[in-house]
Amino acid sequence: MRPNIEIVNEEILSNNWYVLKKMTFKYQKRDGSWETQAREAYDRGNGAVILLYNREKQTVILTRQFRMPTYMNGNETGLLIEACAGLLDQDSPEDCIRRETEEETGYRVTNVHKVGEAYMSPGSVTEILYFFVAEYTPHMHTGEGGGVDKEQEEIEVLELPFGQALNMVENGEIRDAKTIMLLQYAQLNGLLHPVSKPQHILIAGPYRSNTGDDPVRIEANMRLMNEAALRVYEMGHLPVLGEWYALPLMETAGSRRIGDEIFERMFHPSAVRLLSHCDAVLRVGGPSKGADEMVSTAEAKGKRVYRDFDEIPVLA
């Protein structure tokens, strides 16, 4: 059902921090009659929130800071434990949450995965909040975090055992809705379950990129990726390269040189097909448009992306 709405008047009540409006409108009810109503709506823009988690340590990163509205409504200290979050401003949700994560927590994450979006207080606030999760590792730690001084932020970074965080929801120590939603998402989807079986890992790196099609440089790239695959294999997983499939198939199909019609038709699509059957991607080596596309596609599909061997769990 799509209700009929007619805006009668729009009045700005406050534009001090963000915009508070009084909206007067006519609303057509289900019986066909019209009713004039007035509501106040606070427009502070949209936001993004993220839960950082570490499978190996079984921990999550949260923050604690003073929130005046909670102090006004029963929170004796005004301090609130939350997942890292911020307003989009002019950024995309993904760019926003990467920026906020580094500013607030000191972790620089790139592989963020969107898990949903929601209106958080639809009776009075226009904001849509975009929800993300991301795996963090110690090598991603680039600074102390704590927020931005010019925005008057004073944020304490908390690294908590996942089980403790869930218990804090149960006993009321964590009362922030977005944080509770993300912790419950992590619990329901087993985000912190340790990897207990071999993963099928696609090795994504440069093949022709920046080689000028020099056979010696192409061979060096293949050697680099094969060495990465061997290391992954020795960690207990099943590595695969798109080149392992594509190159013999293209030769059998009649390809005679790099970049000919058969090469272009089969080379990149082979890796795309493989990706759908892989659990994760390991990005190695230097610049490569094709490898970066594999990473972006993997992230969009919610697959794990490793950028360092230290991120890969060792099973063997």
Side-chain angles (χ1 to χ4, degrees):
M1 182 184 70
R2 185 181 180 90
N4 289 320
I5 303 292
E6 180 183 329
I7 303 298
V8 175
N9 188 48
E10 182 177 319
E11 178 184 359
I12 295 179
L13 302 180
S14 175
N15 195 11
N16 182 37
W17 189 253
Y18 296 106
V19 181
L20 176 64
K21 293 181 179 180
K22 180 179 180 180
M23 305 294 295
T24 303
F25 58 96
K26 291 181 178 179
Y27 177 89
Q28 188 175 31
K29 300 167 67 175
R30 284 193 296 269
D31 64 7
S33 64
W34 288 83
E35 181 176 74
T36 300
Q37 300 181 7
R39 297 288 187 272
E40 293 182 5
Y42 190 50
D43 185 356
R44 59 195 298 270
N46 296 325
V49 59
I50 191 168
L51 180 69
L52 301 179
Y53 64 96
N54 183 289
R55 282 193 183 90
E56 183 178 353
K57 298 170 65 177
Q58 290 290 292
T59 52
V60 294
I61 297 291
L62 300 177
T63 66
R64 179 160 48 204
Q65 60 183 306
F66 179 79
R67 296 297 199 185
M68 174 55 78
T70 74
Y71 184 74
M72 296 168 60
N73 192 28
N75 184 1
E76 292 184 359
T77 66
L79 295 173
L80 200 67
I81 296 175
E82 306 175 51
C84 169
L87 295 177
L88 303 189
D89 296 325
Q90 301 302 313
D91 289 335
S92 68
E94 291 81 3
D95 288 341
C96 163
I97 205 58
R98 291 189 186 101
R99 180 195 71 235
E100 291 291 338
T101 299
E102 188 164 4
E103 289 178 357
E104 292 193 4
T105 72
Y107 284 89
R108 182 176 297 164
V109 296
T110 54
N111 184 24
V112 298
H113 176 53
K114 182 182 173 185
V115 298
E117 55 188 70
Y119 292 99
M120 296 303 291
S121 187
S124 57
V125 182
T126 63
E127 179 185 32
I128 293 176
L129 195 61
Y130 299 90
F131 289 76
F132 293 89
V133 295
E135 224 173 328
Y136 75 93
T137 58
H139 86 273
M140 297 178 184
H141 197 230
T142 61
E144 295 302 316
V148 180
D149 288 340
K150 67 180 181 180
E151 296 179 9
Q152 298 181 306
E153 293 179 328
E154 187 177 45
I155 298 171
E156 180 185 0
V157 182
L158 306 174
E159 184 174 39
L160 300 174
F162 182 52
Q164 179 182 344
L166 293 175
N167 289 337
M168 293 170 76
V169 174
E170 292 286 334
N171 65 29
E173 290 181 76
I174 293 178
R175 291 192 286 172
D176 174 66
K178 62 184 180 293
T179 306
I180 294 171
M181 292 167 69
L182 280 172
L183 288 170
Q184 290 180 339
Y185 175 89
Q187 183 180 34
L188 289 170
N189 289 274
L191 290 190
L192 280 92
H193 289 170
V195 174
S196 58
K197 62 180 182 179
Q199 298 178 80
H200 204 188
I201 299 177
L202 177 65
I203 312 298
Y207 178 69
R208 296 175 66 192
S209 300
N210 300 312
T211 66
D213 287 342
D214 179 352
V216 174
R217 298 175 70 182
I218 289 175
E219 183 182 354
N221 282 341
M222 277 299 299
R223 184 166 57 250
L224 170 71
M225 288 191 287
N226 281 325
E227 289 170 352
L230 175 60
R231 189 169 174 183
V232 167
Y233 177 81
E234 290 174 340
M235 297 170 78
H237 301 287
L238 301 173
V240 64
L241 273 67
E243 289 79 2
W244 290 353
Y245 285 82
L247 295 176
L249 289 175
M250 291 187 304
E251 183 178 355
T252 303
S255 177
R256 294 295 177 259
R257 62 179 177 82
I258 292 175
D260 66 15
E261 186 276 332
I262 296 174
F263 183 100
E264 295 296 340
R265 175 168 56 87
M266 298 181 66
F267 184 76
H268 187 63
S270 297
V272 174
R273 292 185 191 183
L274 275 175
L275 180 60
S276 64
H277 297 283
C278 291
D279 304 300
V281 171
L282 171 63
R283 177 67 168 93
V284 298
S288 169
K289 181 179 178 182
D292 290 338
E293 287 178 358
M294 286 297 99
V295 168
S296 297
T297 303
E299 290 177 337
K301 292 178 178 293
K303 295 180 182 289
R304 296 186 183 93
V305 174
Y306 301 121
R307 290 178 170 82
D308 193 281
F309 289 100
D310 291 340
E311 299 175 12
I312 303 173
V314 178
L315 301 183

